[in-house]
Amino acid sequence: MPPVRVVVVQWGANVTYATKRATRAEIEELFNNRPLVRANLRGRAATHLAIGVTDAGRKLAVAFIYYAETRAAFPITAWEQS
């Protein structure tokens, strides 16, 4: 599998659910701070998981759909990592 490189975070109708436990700014910061990205389990809504930190140091995980053609991430949900 080629490496995942997110250059844009794409928001849509799912923004309300995706930002229940983290703000839009925090999710975008995570992607700007070079998170660890891996493929998600088969059969899940999200194709990938990103694990990293915000500018304030908050550890987050974000489940997202990755579009390789545009290098875009479409966040599905996010949660705080312990």
Side-chain angles (χ1 to χ4, degrees):
M1 176 176 16
V4 173
R5 182 167 174 256
V6 175
V7 296
V8 65
V9 179
Q10 200 172 35
W11 297 99
N14 197 40
V15 69
T16 303
Y17 185 77
T19 59
K20 279 189 173 201
R21 293 178 267 175
T23 66
R24 272 177 84 150
E26 286 177 321
I27 292 170
E28 290 177 1
E29 287 172 10
L30 176 125
F31 283 108
N32 289 332
N33 292 341
R34 300 180 60 142
L36 171 68
V37 176
R38 67 174 181 86
N40 201 4
L41 299 173
R42 288 183 184 219
R44 302 290 175 113
T47 59
H48 290 80
L49 294 174
I51 300 166
V53 295
T54 66
D55 292 346
R58 185 174 180 210
K59 296 178 186 176
L60 294 178
V62 177
F64 66 100
I65 298 171
Y66 180 64
Y67 297 102
E69 307 81 38
T70 57
R71 294 185 176 172
F74 182 79
I76 303 297
T77 190
W79 62 93
E80 190 165 11
Q81 290 288 108
S82 53

